[in-house]
Each structure stands twice: as C-alpha cells, then as structure tokens.
Amino acid sequence: MEGKKKRVAQVLIFTAAVCMIAFGVYRGEVSTVFTKAVNVCLECIGLG
Amino acid sequence: MKLSHEVKRKIIQIAAFGFSNSYLGNLASGRLYQGKWKNFCNPGMNCYSCPAARFACPIGAMEAVSTKPGSAVGFYALGFVLAIGVIFGRAICGFVCPFGLIQELLYKISSVKKRIYKPLTYIKYALLVIFVFLMPALVVNKYGIGAPSFCKYICPVGTIEGGIPLLLTIPSLRTMLGKLFTVKAAILVGTIISCVICNRFFCKVMCPLGALYGLLNKISIYSMKHDAEKCISCGKCSDVCPMDTDPVTKPNSPECIRCGRCVHACPTCALRQDFK
Ligand code: SF4
Ligand code: SF4
C-alpha cells in the first residue's frame, strides 16, 4: 500500500485503537486484566 | 569499536527481556509480581503467570476479558496491540519480544536446520481467530463464562515461563497435574524441538500476536522499501532472512520481523527501513 491511502489507513487504525483502549478502560477491563495478571492463571500453566 | 547491527539488536532484545522480566527474585518463591505495571500489556509474548513478569500478556489479557459474560471482545488489550502495531508492525517481534529472543537462542543449538513450509505459516491466523477471539467468547459454561482457550490448550510460552517455575516452587500445584498439562507439555517439547531446527518456529506458525502485528506490516509507519534500480538480484537478502521471506518481492510481508539482516546484507543498499 502506498502514499496517501497508507496514511489514511494508519490514521484510521490508530484512532480506532485509541477509541478501543478508552472504551476498554471505561467498561472496567483494566481491573479484569490486572486481577488476571496478579494471580496464578491455572489455564496458562496447564492446570486449569 | 563498531558494533554490528545484529549485536545492537541483541542488546536491545536482552534489555527488553530484562525489563519485561525484572522480578527475578520471585522465581525462588513462586510469588507473582503484583504491582501497578500489571495494569499494562507487554508488547511481546510474555506470560503474566511468570513470577518474574512485569506486565500482562496481551493475548491473555484479550482472552481474560472476552471470557466474561457479555464482554465478547477485550478492547483494552486489542486496542493496545493495534496502536503499537500500526506504528512498529512486526518490529516488536524483531526487537522487544521476550519469547522471540528465547527462540533465537534455541536456534543457536547445533542441529539440522530447515526452512519453513510456507502453508504452515497460515496456522497462526486460524489460532488467532478460533482460540483467541471466538472460543473464549462463545464456548461458555452454564454461567456464561468462557475459558482463555489459547492459553489453556496451546500456549507453550505459559508452560515454560509460568508452568515450570511455579510447579518447581509450589508443591500444592503439583497435586493438580493431569491430562491437560501432559498435552501442554507435549506442545512445549514439540515447539522447542521445532525452534531448534527452524528459526522462530513459534513466531512463524503459532503466535497469534505475531499474526496481528504481521497483518499491520503492510500499513505500519515503520516499513521497508526496495529500490529496484539499485538491486542486482544477488539473493543475499533472502539468504540471510530468518523468517524465510524475500524482501525484494515482499518488503512488507506479514512474516517480516524487521530484524534488518537483509538491509545490512545488501551489497548495493537497495533495501531501507524507516518510519515513513
Ligand atoms: S511472533 Fe509472537 S513470539 Fe514471535 S516475536 Fe512476535 S510476538 Fe513474539
Ligand atoms: S525480510 Fe529482512 S528484515 Fe524482514 S525478517 Fe527477513 S531479514 Fe529480517
């Protein structure tokens, strides 16, 4: 992909990504991720 | 003394590995780091159940959210991966992924060496869609809760970085060993042997994060250009490529991890990587 089209795609995807992060933070995903990450994940280690 | 590009890249990889896994003291106790960094995702694959890990694994984080009733998609982690990916593409794989470095070290073990059979590289997209996006949200128990399917049934990163250190240090976990662990241990052994024979086998065939970054390689700001006027078609670039791709025909292939070996192998400077 070249030139202008590529730049438009970059801006669109980056904007969508920032919106996704904001929406995720808004609906409390950070605490879900944090809780999962600070406790042993039995599935990850092959026991769950 | 002038350091070669490959040595500089290794230094960056080791620094990134160290920053991602700086709580080494926890390996002896089997306790996980529980500080504020765990609110954030690691750009590369690094299991959050590794006692030394500083960050959350982005794939595990996506799955953790989508397993919750009514959540379906882990927007926070997916947004993070897309934002990083649209800037750097798969340079994350080439420079900062902890498991990428582990695989490069495994490949240094002397053995027969093979290139990848190209159709196998499509498996990672199927794993991304089925095990990371669909199964955690759709295969649910009677309470509507799913399972992080890639972590649970496949991920060898979790087995080696989380499973082995925790099983060695926490005796009560060893009483829970069963069929699932046998399956995951077999996948881990298969992955290790494959990585010794084929450079970055996990990245090429199995990594859902590499699949996402690879899809962004075509549009990422950090990208590669090939100058056909300078190229003498000597093939030196594709000969040195650890990902078995050809930067002349596909400078922005989804397989390219932006390691830069081809750029530095080219005798006529026909390849260039930059932020454009
Ligand atoms: S493909 Fe996956 S494991 Fe390989 S370097 Fe990229 S993120 Fe890491
Ligand atoms: S094409 Fe070049 S930069 Fe990309 S993986 Fe191969 S050698 Fe590295």
Side-chain angles (χ1 to χ4, degrees):
Chain A
M1 205 185 292
E2 277 316 310
K4 211 173 167 192
K5 260 195 202 162
K6 182 172 162 176
R7 195 61 85 209
V8 170
Q10 286 168 350
V11 171
L12 283 179
I13 293 183
F14 190 78
T15 310
V18 172
C19 293
M20 282 184 189
I21 295 171
F23 181 62
V25 172
Y26 166 75
R27 67 170 190 166
E29 290 184 15
V30 181
S31 78
T32 306
V33 170
F34 182 78
T35 307
K36 186 79 180 169
V38 297
N39 293 297
V40 172
C41 161
L42 292 179
E43 292 94 345
C44 299
I45 66 174
L47 303 180
Chain B
M1 188 182 68
K2 201 169 176 312
L3 299 177
S4 70
H5 171 78
E6 215 25 42
V7 171
K8 286 184 200 157
R9 191 174 71 90
K10 260 310 160 275
I11 292 171
I12 296 171
Q13 285 181 292
I14 292 167
F17 187 99
F19 190 64
S20 300
N21 294 290
S22 38
Y23 299 95
L24 290 176
N26 289 352
L27 286 170
S29 63
R31 285 183 37 153
L32 302 194
Y33 161 70
Q34 299 191 314
K36 61 180 182 333
W37 287 103
K38 280 270 173 90
N39 284 303
F40 304 101
C41 295
N42 196 314
M45 286 294 275
N46 201 53
C47 184
Y48 42 29
S49 281
C50 171
R54 179 187 291 270
F55 299 104
C57 165
I59 293 296
M62 278 179 218
E63 291 176 87
V65 173
S66 47
T67 55
K68 288 182 76 178
S71 285
V73 178
F75 287 106
Y76 172 63
L78 181 58
F80 170 80
V81 170
L82 292 179
I84 297 270
V86 84
I87 298 170
F88 300 102
R90 239 180 144 179
I92 298 296
C93 304
F95 285 83
V96 300
C97 177
F99 201 61
L101 174 63
I102 292 175
Q103 291 176 81
E104 288 187 8
L105 297 177
L106 285 171
Y107 190 67
K108 289 200 184 298
I109 296 172
S110 134
S111 78
V112 281
K113 301 296 177 192
K114 297 266 182 223
R115 287 171 91 89
I116 198 73
Y117 175 56
K118 177 87 172 122
L120 294 181
T121 61
Y122 295 107
I123 292 175
K124 60 182 174 291
Y125 301 106
L127 295 178
L128 171 69
V129 173
I130 297 170
F131 284 84
V132 178
F133 289 145
L134 297 180
M135 282 176 67
L138 301 179
V139 182
V140 296
N141 65 16
K142 61 181 175 187
Y143 306 107
I145 300 169
S149 306
F150 183 77
C151 302
K152 182 170 177 175
Y153 301 112
I154 294 171
C155 189
V157 187
T159 318
I160 195 170
E161 292 185 357
I164 292 175
L166 291 174
L167 286 165
L168 288 175
T169 48
I170 305 175
S172 59
L173 289 180
R174 294 202 281 273
T175 62
M176 298 166 72
L177 286 172
K179 262 192 202 148
L180 190 59
F181 187 79
T182 311
V183 170
K184 282 201 68 178
I187 292 176
L188 173 62
V189 171
T191 306
I192 290 175
I193 294 170
S194 304
C195 289
V196 171
I197 296 169
C198 175
N199 206 350
R200 285 185 176 248
F201 176 86
F202 177 81
C203 303
K204 288 170 183 163
V205 176
M206 298 169 74
C207 184
L209 187 57
L212 267 175
Y213 287 139
L215 291 173
L216 293 167
N217 256 3
K218 273 204 173 13
I219 58 149
S220 60
I221 299 174
Y222 190 67
S223 55
M224 191 190 296
K225 277 109 208 150
H226 171 251
D227 185 338
E229 283 180 13
K230 286 185 183 168
C231 181
I232 54 170
S233 304
C234 65
K236 285 189 175 153
C237 51
S238 52
D239 284 350
V240 298
C241 178
M243 298 303 284
D244 307 332
T245 182
D246 181 2
V248 170
T249 52
K250 276 188 149 188
N252 294 308
S253 154
E255 294 305 307
C256 173
I257 56 167
R258 307 299 189 212
C259 69
R261 280 195 204 173
C262 54
V263 175
H264 292 268
C266 176
T268 63
C269 302
L271 292 165
R272 185 166 56 89
Q273 288 193 126
D274 50 26
F275 285 95
K276 276 213 179 121

Short mmCIF file of all heavy atoms in Angstrom, two decimals, chain A residues 1 4-14, chain B residues 86 219:
data_model
loop_
_atom_site.label_atom_id
_atom_site.label_comp_id
_atom_site.label_asym_id
_atom_site.label_seq_id
_atom_site.Cartn_x
_atom_site.Cartn_y
_atom_site.Cartn_z
N MET A 1 0.85 -1.19 0.00
CA MET A 1 0.00 0.00 0.00
C MET A 1 0.89 1.25 0.00
O MET A 1 1.86 1.29 0.73
CB MET A 1 -0.90 -0.01 1.23
CG MET A 1 -2.15 0.80 1.04
SD MET A 1 -3.16 0.91 2.54
CE MET A 1 -3.73 -0.76 2.73
N LYS A 4 -0.86 8.07 0.01
CA LYS A 4 -1.97 8.67 0.75
C LYS A 4 -2.87 7.62 1.39
O LYS A 4 -3.28 7.75 2.54
CB LYS A 4 -2.78 9.54 -0.21
CG LYS A 4 -3.42 10.72 0.49
CD LYS A 4 -4.06 11.66 -0.50
CE LYS A 4 -4.95 12.62 0.26
NZ LYS A 4 -5.83 13.38 -0.60
N LYS A 5 -3.15 6.57 0.62
CA LYS A 5 -4.03 5.50 1.11
C LYS A 5 -3.46 4.90 2.39
O LYS A 5 -4.18 4.63 3.35
CB LYS A 5 -4.11 4.38 0.06
CG LYS A 5 -5.33 4.40 -0.78
CD LYS A 5 -5.42 3.05 -1.49
CE LYS A 5 -6.25 3.15 -2.74
NZ LYS A 5 -6.00 2.01 -3.62
N LYS A 6 -2.14 4.71 2.37
CA LYS A 6 -1.47 4.11 3.53
C LYS A 6 -1.60 5.04 4.74
O LYS A 6 -1.88 4.60 5.85
CB LYS A 6 0.00 3.85 3.18
CG LYS A 6 0.77 3.20 4.30
CD LYS A 6 2.15 2.79 3.84
CE LYS A 6 3.05 2.56 5.04
NZ LYS A 6 4.36 2.08 4.72
N ARG A 7 -1.42 6.32 4.51
CA ARG A 7 -1.51 7.29 5.61
C ARG A 7 -2.92 7.30 6.20
O ARG A 7 -3.10 7.33 7.42
CB ARG A 7 -1.11 8.68 5.08
CG ARG A 7 -0.81 9.70 6.14
CD ARG A 7 0.34 9.34 7.06
NE ARG A 7 1.65 9.70 6.54
CZ ARG A 7 2.78 9.06 6.82
NH1 ARG A 7 2.76 8.00 7.59
NH2 ARG A 7 3.93 9.45 6.33
N VAL A 8 -3.93 7.23 5.31
CA VAL A 8 -5.32 7.23 5.78
C VAL A 8 -5.56 5.98 6.64
O VAL A 8 -6.16 6.06 7.73
CB VAL A 8 -6.30 7.26 4.57
CG1 VAL A 8 -7.73 7.01 5.03
CG2 VAL A 8 -6.20 8.60 3.86
N ALA A 9 -5.07 4.84 6.16
CA ALA A 9 -5.25 3.60 6.92
C ALA A 9 -4.57 3.70 8.29
O ALA A 9 -5.13 3.27 9.30
CB ALA A 9 -4.69 2.42 6.13
N GLN A 10 -3.38 4.29 8.31
CA GLN A 10 -2.65 4.43 9.58
C GLN A 10 -3.47 5.27 10.57
O GLN A 10 -3.65 4.90 11.73
CB GLN A 10 -1.30 5.11 9.35
CG GLN A 10 -0.27 4.22 8.71
CD GLN A 10 0.95 5.01 8.23
OE1 GLN A 10 0.96 6.23 8.20
NE2 GLN A 10 1.97 4.28 7.80
N VAL A 11 -3.98 6.40 10.08
CA VAL A 11 -4.73 7.31 10.96
C VAL A 11 -6.01 6.63 11.46
O VAL A 11 -6.34 6.66 12.65
CB VAL A 11 -5.06 8.64 10.23
CG1 VAL A 11 -6.02 9.49 11.04
CG2 VAL A 11 -3.78 9.40 9.94
N LEU A 12 -6.71 5.93 10.52
CA LEU A 12 -7.96 5.28 10.91
C LEU A 12 -7.71 4.19 11.97
O LEU A 12 -8.42 4.12 12.98
CB LEU A 12 -8.64 4.65 9.68
CG LEU A 12 -9.36 5.61 8.76
CD1 LEU A 12 -9.95 4.86 7.57
CD2 LEU A 12 -10.47 6.35 9.51
N ILE A 13 -6.72 3.37 11.73
CA ILE A 13 -6.47 2.26 12.67
C ILE A 13 -5.97 2.79 14.01
O ILE A 13 -6.41 2.33 15.07
CB ILE A 13 -5.49 1.23 12.07
CG1 ILE A 13 -6.18 0.54 10.89
CG2 ILE A 13 -5.07 0.19 13.11
CD1 ILE A 13 -5.39 -0.54 10.23
N PHE A 14 -5.12 3.79 13.96
CA PHE A 14 -4.61 4.33 15.23
C PHE A 14 -5.76 4.96 16.03
O PHE A 14 -5.88 4.76 17.24
CB PHE A 14 -3.49 5.34 14.99
CG PHE A 14 -2.79 5.74 16.26
CD1 PHE A 14 -1.85 4.89 16.84
CD2 PHE A 14 -3.09 6.93 16.90
CE1 PHE A 14 -1.22 5.23 18.03
CE2 PHE A 14 -2.47 7.28 18.09
CZ PHE A 14 -1.53 6.43 18.65
N VAL B 86 0.38 -0.51 14.50
CA VAL B 86 0.29 0.41 13.37
C VAL B 86 1.53 1.32 13.31
O VAL B 86 1.89 1.85 12.26
CB VAL B 86 -1.04 1.20 13.40
CG1 VAL B 86 -0.95 2.43 14.29
CG2 VAL B 86 -1.47 1.59 12.00
N ILE B 219 0.82 -1.65 6.48
CA ILE B 219 0.48 -0.23 6.64
C ILE B 219 1.24 0.44 7.78
O ILE B 219 1.06 1.64 8.01
CB ILE B 219 -1.04 -0.04 6.87
CG1 ILE B 219 -1.49 -0.83 8.10
CG2 ILE B 219 -1.84 -0.42 5.67
CD1 ILE B 219 -2.63 -0.13 8.77
#
